[in-house]
């Protein structure tokens, strides 16, 4: 639930900013504004939240995924989430290629998790809420969304520069 709240905040605030306060509503700037919120909140804070769950409530989280409690994989997943939490928050300070690396790494992690969830559904009929519920869609769609925003911010920036240079 917390991940969905942080995602909602990370979408509402940049939307309000762009609608009411931004002078630059170019595609490139829109992509940058959304990433400025999504990376620290959804990737950063969301990563820390997932770390806490997998590290401190690991048996409860395992059961909610439909897996046996007591498996040490939870601590490995916790460490990965902590790493992405740190990277997401550091996106406040570092931009450009750092954003690209963060999005690619996070995206690979989530897509891999999505594949495991789908495999568990097909192999074991595991329809547990945190295996086949909203988390499955987030694992698949969030990386695509972040990559699209990254592309928009980079492509939009290039298009803006070309437009200025051509004088059109």
């Amino acid at each position: 639930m917390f991940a969905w709240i942080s995602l909602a905040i990370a979408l509402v605030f940049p939307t309000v900013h762009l609608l009411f306060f931004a002078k630059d509503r170019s595609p490139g700037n829109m992509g940058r504004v959304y990433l400025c919120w999504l990376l620290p909140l959804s990737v950063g804070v969301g990563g820390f939240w997932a770390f806490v769950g997998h590290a401190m409530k690991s048996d409860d989280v395992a059961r909610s995924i439909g897996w046996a409690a007591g498996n040490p994989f939870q601590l490995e997943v916790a460490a990965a989430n902590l790493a992405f939490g740190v990277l997401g928050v550091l996106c406040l300070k570092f931009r450009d290629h750092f954003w690209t690396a963060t999005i690619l790494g996070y995206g690979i992690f989530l897509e891999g998790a999505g594949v495991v969830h789908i495999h568990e559904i097909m192999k074991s009929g595991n329809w547990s809420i945190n295996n086949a519920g909203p988390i499955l869609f987030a694992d698949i769609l969030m990386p695509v969304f972040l990559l699209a925003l990254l592309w928009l911010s980079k492509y939009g920036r290039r298009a803006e520069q070309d437009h200025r240079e051509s004088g059109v």
Side-chain angles (χ1 to χ4, degrees):
M1 180 62 123
F2 179 81
W4 293 104
I5 292 170
S6 69
L7 175 61
I9 291 169
L11 292 173
V12 167
F13 280 100
T15 301
V16 168
H17 173 83
L18 288 166
L19 288 174
F20 299 108
F21 303 107
K23 293 179 182 166
D24 180 2
R25 291 191 184 109
S26 64
N29 192 55
M30 288 174 61
R32 286 187 295 278
V33 168
Y34 276 98
L35 287 173
C36 279
W37 285 89
L38 281 164
L39 290 169
L41 287 176
S42 289
V43 178
V45 175
F48 289 129
W49 184 256
F51 162 75
V52 168
H54 285 284
M56 315 239 178
K57 307 276 260 159
S58 56
D59 289 346
D60 294 337
V61 170
R63 279 190 287 277
S64 77
I65 300 171
W67 294 346
N71 192 318
F73 84 89
Q74 289 283 54
L75 296 178
E76 293 175 9
V77 174
N81 278 294
L82 178 60
F84 288 115
V86 169
L87 292 173
V89 170
L90 286 175
C91 285
L92 288 167
K93 171 85 173 142
F94 304 107
R95 305 276 170 108
D96 297 321
H97 296 304
F98 191 84
W99 281 10
T100 302
T102 300
I103 290 169
L104 288 174
Y106 187 64
I108 291 167
F109 172 67
L110 289 185
E111 292 296 334
V115 167
V116 170
H117 292 307
I118 291 169
H119 181 262
E120 283 293 305
I121 292 167
M122 295 172 72
K123 177 184 153 213
S124 309
N126 181 352
W127 292 96
S128 299
I129 188 67
N130 283 328
N131 188 65
I135 194 72
L136 173 60
F137 296 100
D139 285 350
I140 293 168
L141 296 177
M142 182 58 103
V144 173
F145 185 56
L146 290 173
L147 282 171
L149 288 172
L150 182 66
W151 178 85
L152 183 66
S153 73
K154 293 193 179 292
Y155 173 77
R157 187 181 305 159
R158 264 188 252 121
E160 292 157 17
Q161 288 171 341
D162 291 348
H163 179 66
R164 279 194 299 275
E165 291 171 5
S166 70
V168 177

